[in-house]
Amino acid sequence: MIIKIGELAKISGCSVQTIRHYDKEQLLSAKIRSDGNFRLYDQADIERLLFIKHCRSLDLSLAEIRQLLSLNDSPMSQCDDVNQMIEQHIEQVERRIADLTQLNKQLKALRLSCNSKRTVEHCGILKQLNEAVSQTN
Amino acid sequence: MIIKIGELAKISGCSVQTIRHYDKEQLLSAKIRSDGNFRLYDQADIERLLFIKHCRSLDLSLAEIRQLLSLNDSPMSQCDDVNQMIEQHIEQVERRIADLTQLNKQLKALRLSCNSKRTVEHCGILKQLNEAVSQTN
DNA sequence: ATTGACTCTATAGTTACTATAGACTTTAAA
DNA sequence: TTTAAAGTCTATAGTAACTATAGAGTCAAT
Ligand SMILES: [Zn+2]
Ligand SMILES: [Zn+2]
Ligand SMILES: [Zn+2]
Ligand SMILES: [Zn+2]
């Protein structure tokens, strides 16, 4: 079964442009083209794209996915590289969660300092933002 | 007290390029220039930049900050706009935290499926990633 | 043969910077 | 006063992972 890019897009849920982008980025290259230069894909390509999509849903970067794909393609390499990447990625995600949680606290405190019916002249939010400035300064 | 961009950078902790960038983006324009066209700043500019920096630390976008600054400059406008912006921002942050928390769970499960001393041929991580694909398909 | 849907490449835009290059200005020492 | 170092200027390109065009060519059905 051989399909063109539009159908691959439908099957995979990726956009046509995204698939072309992965081609340019060497993640999923169409090995064959039609006479008129249309990209042609087979079952293996579908699976590879779904693999990529799943990895993206885990927020892995294209560079990381490229590495996973190449490890996947050479079965005798060791697990360590895969492991290390996933671990670093986990750390990064956890750091980001911690940052955002902190941020969320500050934003909520800020939100509480305003009760909507004033002019901004007396707005607690802007007052707080301005005060933070004069403290730093 | 009038200073040039390099000193403003030192005082504020922003880079020189960042300050130039804020100039281009109309967040902090140097109202006067030296004879040789160097940007010149005063105390009010320092405070404005610190305000911007504080807002950025809350992850507000430059567009949002531009809006805050303009509200700040017209004291008779109402608080509602400020409030709504902050609330939307909070929602967005909370959504992102929820996403990342979910992600973190998946990544940890993935990590547990490998014990490092195998070749990737038998790697649980890659196996799982590949299985996820054939399920979707 | 013609039409409409599809695909092609190349290019620009998104966000908030960062990093150059090449030219000009300022400041301080010689 | 000349000169050299340090600072600054604009303009441009790069970052990540797409998204959205434009303009041209291809394919499938009538
Ligand atoms: Zn990562
Ligand atoms: Zn208010
Ligand atoms: Zn926001
Ligand atoms: Zn493994």
Side-chain angles (χ1 to χ4, degrees), chain B residues 2-15:
Chain B
I2 283 183
I3 57 175
K4 285 180 289 183
I5 199 168
E7 189 156 1
L8 180 55
K10 249 183 235 152
I11 291 171
S12 66
C14 298
S15 78

Side-chain angles (χ1 to χ4, degrees), chain A residues 76-92:
Chain A
M76 295 316 289
S77 55
Q78 297 298 309
C79 277
D80 288 358
D81 293 343
V82 180
N83 271 332
Q84 218 181 344
M85 174 195 305
I86 299 295
E87 258 162 37
Q88 277 180 14
H89 198 71
I90 287 173
E91 274 171 36
Q92 188 192 312

Side-chain angles (χ1 to χ4, degrees), chain B residues 21 23 44 110 114 117 121:
Chain B
H21 182 62
D23 193 339
L110 198 58
C114 173
K117 293 300 169 217
E121 191 175 13

Side-chain angles (χ1 to χ4, degrees), chain B residues 26-55:
Chain B
Q26 322 249 39
L27 290 171
L28 176 70
S29 54
K31 291 165 290 295
I32 44 173
R33 298 274 184 131
S34 75
D35 286 353
N37 200 33
F38 284 15
R39 291 172 179 85
L40 298 176
Y41 300 96
D42 61 14
Q43 187 61 31
D45 293 322
I46 297 175
E47 277 160 29
R48 193 177 172 96
L49 180 53
L50 289 172
F51 179 92
I52 294 169
K53 200 189 173 196
H54 184 61
C55 291

Side-chain angles (χ1 to χ4, degrees), chain A residues 60-125:
Chain A
L60 293 166
S61 69
L62 297 191
E64 287 167 329
I65 296 170
R66 195 180 294 113
Q67 199 185 333
L68 280 180
L69 284 168
S70 99
L71 286 169
N72 215 7
D73 290 344
S74 55
M76 295 316 289
S77 55
Q78 297 298 309
C79 277
D80 288 358
D81 293 343
V82 180
N83 271 332
Q84 218 181 344
M85 174 195 305
I86 299 295
E87 258 162 37
Q88 277 180 14
H89 198 71
I90 287 173
E91 274 171 36
Q92 188 192 312
V93 168
E94 288 181 344
R95 233 177 296 127
R96 186 73 183 138
I97 290 174
D99 287 352
L100 287 176
T101 303
Q102 179 59 28
L103 193 56
N104 200 28
K105 250 186 230 161
Q106 289 177 261
L107 284 168
K108 280 184 161 165
L110 198 57
R111 175 64 189 85
L112 285 177
S113 65
C114 173
N115 63 0
S116 242
K117 293 301 168 217
R118 313 176 195 171
T119 56
V120 299
E121 192 175 13
H122 303 105
C123 175
I125 291 180

Side-chain angles (χ1 to χ4, degrees), chain B residues 46-96:
Chain B
I46 297 175
E47 277 160 29
R48 193 177 172 96
L49 180 53
L50 289 172
F51 179 92
I52 294 169
K53 200 189 173 196
H54 184 61
C55 291
R56 283 296 297 142
S57 80
L58 295 172
D59 233 23
L60 293 166
S61 69
L62 296 192
E64 287 167 330
I65 296 170
R66 196 179 295 115
Q67 198 186 333
L68 280 180
L69 283 168
S70 99
L71 287 169
N72 216 7
D73 290 345
S74 55
M76 296 314 291
S77 55
Q78 298 298 311
C79 277
D80 289 358
D81 293 344
V82 180
N83 271 333
Q84 218 181 345
M85 174 196 304
I86 300 294
E87 258 163 37
Q88 277 180 15
H89 197 71
I90 288 173
E91 274 171 35
Q92 188 192 311
V93 168
E94 288 183 344
R95 230 176 300 126
R96 186 72 182 139

